Amino acid sequence: KQWYHRRVRGFTSPTQLIIICLIEPLAMKLNEHIVIHFLHTSDAGGSILTHAFGAFFGLGITLGLGTKAKNIPEENRKTTYTSDSFAMIGTIVLWMFWPSFNGALLFNDVTVLH
């Protein structure tokens, strides 16, 4: 499951979730087709494409549903200094090293060489 399924679960009806689950794979395949065939990008294993799509699709769903922070219980909105620090460090490490891990698989790829 994507993270946004947990985020919207208490704010959507089962019908809305079914519609989201029917639209998501079609939108993912359309996005994949555009990025690979029209933009001519290489993504080893499709991991960057998949995760970036999931992140932006999830943001679009949560913004589109209009869930307000005031509707989320207070105990679910609280963070601590430790959890915020770990989230920041994890984000920095992810953005710095994730593309290089995936890019190593494309070492002899002809699209990288040109």
Side-chain angles (χ1 to χ4, degrees):
K1 285 185 177 181
Q2 297 288 340
W3 65 271
Y4 62 86
H5 285 216
R6 292 188 303 269
R7 168 76 165 86
V8 300
R9 191 177 333 156
F11 301 98
T12 57
S13 68
T15 305
Q16 288 173 319
L17 285 177
I18 289 171
I19 291 170
I20 291 170
C21 290
L22 291 174
I23 290 173
E24 182 182 12
L26 298 173
M28 173 60 192
K29 284 301 172 185
L30 177 65
N31 180 53
E32 182 179 13
H33 182 74
I34 290 169
V35 169
I36 291 175
H37 296 294
F38 292 121
L39 300 178
H40 305 291
T41 61
S42 293
D43 185 13
S47 59
I48 293 176
L49 181 66
T50 301
H51 288 90
F53 174 79
F56 288 115
F57 188 81
L59 286 172
I61 290 294
T62 54
L63 291 173
L65 290 173
T67 305
K68 305 285 188 235
K70 65 181 179 183
N71 296 333
I72 300 172
E74 181 67 31
E75 63 271 4
N76 293 345
R77 289 188 280 155
K78 291 183 181 177
T79 62
T80 63
Y81 177 78
T82 304
S83 66
D84 288 343
S85 297
F86 274 109
M88 182 189 67
I89 292 168
T91 301
I92 291 170
V93 169
L94 178 70
W95 281 100
M96 288 178 63
F97 298 117
W98 186 27
S100 62
F101 289 145
N102 291 322
L105 299 173
L106 296 171
F107 180 68
N108 287 327
D109 191 3
V110 70
T111 59
V112 176
L113 299 176
H114 293 348

